[in-house]
Amino acid sequence: MEPADLLKPLLRGWSLPLLVFTVAYTLVYLPFVEKGLEEGCSLLPETHFVLYSKRVVTPNGVVPAAVEVEGERIISVVKRSEAPKQRDGGPRVLDYSNAVIMPGLIDVHVHLNEPGRTEWEGFLTGTQAAAAGGVTALVDMPLNSFPTTTTKDTLLLKLEAAKGKLFVDVGFWGGLVPENVANLTVMDELLNAGALGLKSFMCPSGINDFPHTTAEDIKAALPVLARYGRPMLVHAEVVQPSPEERSLQPGEPSENSRLYSRYHGTRPLSWERTAVQQLTEVAKDTAVGGPAEGAHIHVVHLSDPEESLDLIKEAKAVGSSMSVETSPHYLAFAAEEIPDGETQFKCNPPIRHADYRELLWKALQAGDIDMISTDHSPSAPEMKLLEEGDFLKAWGGISSLQFVLPVTWTYGASRGITLEQLVKWWSTSPSKLANFPRKGSLEFGKDADIVIWDPESSFILDSNYPIFHKHKQVTPYAGQTLSGKVIATFARGREVFREGYHAPRPCGTPLLPVH
C-alpha cells in the first residue's frame, strides 16, 4: 500500500467541503481584496485591521474595546486587553484613543433626485455627503427623481443611474400612487424588482407625477406588501380648509408671505392628526391574524408629539404593526425662532413651536418615537427663493444629510441623550425598518459599517467647512457651531471618508431586499 492510499478515506470525506471552501475563497474573498487594493475603494489599503477606542458602542453598552475587521465584515468585538496587538504579519491596529466608535448611521428617508433632477442633488454628491456625516447606508425616496419610482421599469432606471456613483450602500423605496393601486400587478412587479417597501403621500407631494393617495388606497396596498413582509411609509397630512387659508386674499401685501407664522398657519396640526387617525384605522389590518399581517405602516417626519403620537401609541398597544420617525429639524429649531424670509427653514410638515420640540425629545427618550431620519430634500437654490423670502412659494425641503450626527448630538446632549440612544435611533431601528439584517450594530458577522467621531470636537458650519451636498450653503444649519466631528467612516470595511477626504472611487452597492 502506498502512503497516499492511507489518506484516501480521510480526503474522501473532506473533498466536497474543501472544494466548496476553495472555490468560495477564490471567487469571493480574493476578488474583494484585489478590488479594495487595486481600484481605490478605500483610503486604508489593508483589508484586515483592528480599531481600538475607550468608547465603543456595542449592544452591551459603551466599553473600551477593539473591533476587528476582515474583508467586508466584523470578525470580532473584544475587550481591548484581549485584542490583537500590532505585530509583523498581523492585522494593522488603529488606535482612536477616546473617540467614539459606533455603527454607521442608516438614513431611511433621503431624496437623492437621480435620475432626472441632478441639478438638485445626485447619487455622487449625496453619498459623498452621507459618508462625510457618518451615514453608511441610506434609502432613497421614489421622488423627486424624474421619472418617479412607481414601476419596475423606473426602479431599473434608478439602479442603472446609480452605477459607479455610490460612496455608501443605497436601497430604494418604491412609490404608491393611484395608478399602481388600480393595477396591483404593477405594484407586485415593483416590489419583486427590488423596492424595499413603498412610500405614499396623503396630501399633494409637490411633484406632478407623484399624486397623493387616500387611506383606502393604502389599505388596498397592504395585502401586497404583506406577501413580501415590507413596510408602507406615509407622509401623513390630509389637506383641510383652515381659517388662515381662507383669510389669504389675492390683494394682500406680498411681504406677508415672508412671515414664517403665515406659512406655519397654512399647514395646521389638524392635517397631521386627521391623517394619522385614518392610518391607525387602516393599520388594524396589519395585526396578527389580520388580512395584511406581515405588512407594516411607518409614519415619516412626525412634527406632532401630542394627538398624532398618542394615536400611534394606542395603535401599537392593540397590536397594529406601526412605527414612527421624526427629523432633526424638528428637534433643532422652533417656529418662533425662524427669521422672516429665511426660506431655507421651510419644510412639510412645518417646524412647530418650542414646546413641541421639547415634547419630541421626550418622546424619543421614552421610546415612543422609534427613530430619526433626515428627510434630506434639497433643490436647486433658486427654488428656495432666498432673495425673495416667500415662504408660500418656496420649495419645501431641508438639506441636512451630512450634518445629522453632530446636529443630533449638539441638540441632544444638553437634554441628556446617551450614545446608546443615538445608535438606537440612527442605526438599530432603521436597520429593522429597511430589513438590513447585516447592518445596525457592531457584532460578529455584521457588515463593517462604522463611524468614528469625536463628540467633544466642535466646528462652525461656515463657508470654510468642507460640505459635500451639491448646494453647500442652502441649509438652515449654515453658520451654526456644532459638536461631534466625524473622523472616519467605514462602509463594509472600506474607509470611504477620513478627515475631509473620500476614497478615490465610489464602491457602494445597491441594497436589495433580503428574501
Side-chain angles (χ1 to χ4, degrees):
M1 178 181 288
E2 295 294 328
D5 293 333
L6 297 173
L7 297 175
K8 286 181 180 178
L10 179 63
L11 291 172
R12 189 178 299 116
W14 283 92
S15 59
L16 183 58
L18 282 170
L19 178 62
V20 171
F21 173 79
T22 302
V23 170
Y25 184 85
T26 303
L27 295 180
V28 177
Y29 182 74
L30 286 181
F32 164 73
V33 173
E34 292 173 0
K35 184 177 181 181
L37 291 174
E38 294 180 9
E39 294 190 6
C41 298
S42 177
L43 293 166
L44 187 70
E46 290 84 1
T47 58
H48 185 195
F49 53 89
V50 177
L51 307 175
Y52 282 158
S53 174
K54 297 174 184 175
R55 293 188 286 182
V56 179
V57 188
T58 74
N60 298 317
V62 182
V63 295
V67 181
E68 185 176 4
V69 175
E70 187 166 16
E72 296 188 340
R73 304 288 184 86
I74 296 169
I75 62 171
S76 72
V77 181
V78 298
K79 296 178 181 178
R80 288 192 67 184
S81 59
E82 300 171 359
K85 302 296 189 289
Q86 186 74 60
R87 65 182 188 279
D88 291 343
R92 181 172 175 181
V93 176
L94 301 170
D95 190 341
Y96 287 97
S97 186
N98 199 43
V100 171
I101 296 178
M102 72 181 205
L105 281 65
I106 299 171
D107 191 344
V108 296
H109 193 151
V110 179
H111 298 266
L112 293 179
N113 307 328
E114 190 170 356
R117 290 192 173 97
T118 52
E119 69 274 17
W120 296 18
E121 191 66 275
F123 288 119
L124 196 64
T125 55
T127 59
Q128 280 184 315
V135 176
T136 53
L138 59 86
V139 188
D140 183 42
M141 282 290 170
L143 71 168
N144 307 311
S145 57
F146 182 79
T148 53
T149 312
T150 57
T151 66
K152 172 185 174 181
D153 288 344
T154 53
L155 176 60
L156 295 178
L157 280 175
K158 185 164 278 193
L159 287 165
E160 183 65 28
K163 286 183 178 178
K165 298 176 184 176
L166 306 180
F167 277 89
V168 300
D169 294 346
V170 176
F172 304 92
W173 302 121
L176 181 75
V177 292
E179 287 81 358
N180 56 22
V181 173
N183 186 348
L184 296 181
T185 300
V186 174
M187 188 190 309
D188 193 77
E189 290 175 347
L190 174 60
L191 292 166
N192 194 51
L196 297 172
L198 299 178
K199 163 72 180 295
S200 74
F201 274 72
M202 295 180 75
C203 62
S205 70
I207 298 294
N208 291 335
D209 60 338
F210 201 91
H212 68 283
T213 54
T214 65
E216 290 73 22
D217 293 330
I218 294 167
K219 183 181 178 72
L222 288 178
V224 181
L225 286 160
R227 293 203 300 271
Y228 291 87
R230 297 184 200 163
M232 167 68 71
L233 286 75
V234 184
H235 180 124
E237 287 184 289
V238 170
V239 177
Q240 297 176 306
S242 70
E244 290 86 350
E245 287 179 299
R246 286 194 294 271
S247 68
L248 303 183
Q249 302 299 321
E252 285 183 300
S254 60
E255 61 266 20
N256 286 354
S257 62
R258 291 177 55 83
L259 301 177
Y260 181 78
S261 59
R262 179 175 174 186
Y263 165 66
H264 182 273
T266 66
R267 296 183 87 110
L269 287 164
S270 60
W271 288 24
E272 206 166 358
R273 292 168 177 173
T274 300
V276 170
Q277 191 277 327
Q278 293 177 9
L279 282 175
T280 54
E281 286 298 314
V282 169
K284 292 176 181 178
D285 288 357
T286 66
V288 174
E293 178 183 353
H296 180 83
I297 290 179
H298 178 75
V299 176
V300 301
H301 50 48
L302 185 79
S303 75
D304 174 27
E306 293 188 318
E307 291 181 27
S308 297
L309 184 57
D310 286 343
L311 287 165
I312 294 168
K313 289 162 61 177
E314 291 167 8
K316 289 180 179 180
V318 298
S320 298
S321 185
M322 290 192 76
S323 56
V324 59
E325 70 184 49
T326 191
S327 296
H329 39 273
Y330 301 123
L331 301 167
F333 305 123
E336 56 268 40
E337 300 166 1
I338 297 174
D340 295 342
E342 297 292 321
T343 54
Q344 59 267 43
F345 288 88
K346 183 180 177 180
C347 60
N348 304 317
I351 294 165
R352 305 297 182 185
H353 291 95
D355 52 346
Y356 285 87
R357 175 177 60 189
E358 298 311 313
L359 289 172
L360 286 169
W361 276 112
K362 289 178 181 178
L364 272 167
Q365 291 174 291
D368 296 327
I369 295 176
D370 300 280
M371 67 193 76
I372 311 175
S373 299
T374 60
D375 188 17
H376 175 72
S377 185
S379 66
E382 58 270 19
M383 296 178 64
K384 293 298 284 184
L385 303 179
L386 297 173
E387 292 187 10
E388 187 178 346
D390 189 326
F391 276 106
L392 300 184
K393 296 178 182 177
W395 174 259
I398 285 179
S399 184
S400 63
L401 183 57
Q402 184 176 332
F403 320 131
V404 291
L405 176 53
V407 165
T408 308
W409 184 250
T410 299
Y411 288 92
S414 63
R415 294 168 171 87
I417 71 167
T418 66
L419 293 171
E420 294 98 323
Q421 288 174 322
L422 199 64
V423 167
K424 175 181 180 291
W425 301 331
W426 276 111
S427 302
T428 311
S429 294
S431 72
K432 293 176 182 176
L433 177 70
N435 192 21
F436 296 155
R438 293 210 309 260
K439 299 184 183 294
S441 61
L442 301 182
E443 296 179 90
F444 171 79
K446 293 290 187 81
D447 285 349
D449 289 354
I450 300 165
V451 58
I452 301 160
W453 62 290
D454 182 357
E456 288 74 45
S457 178
S458 62
F459 59 93
I460 300 174
L461 199 60
D462 59 14
S463 58
N464 297 316
Y465 189 83
I467 298 172
F468 298 96
H469 302 146
K470 178 152 287 186
H471 305 294
K472 304 185 186 311
Q473 291 296 317
V474 186
T475 173
Y477 299 103
Q480 291 206 343
T481 299
L482 300 174
S483 296
K485 184 178 180 181
V486 173
I487 298 168
T489 303
F490 291 82
R492 282 184 297 109
R494 301 169 173 91
E495 189 178 28
V496 294
F497 177 81
R498 183 203 305 158
E499 298 282 5
Y501 295 93
H502 289 83
R505 296 190 182 187
C507 297
T509 189
L511 293 169
L512 299 177
V514 176
H515 295 287

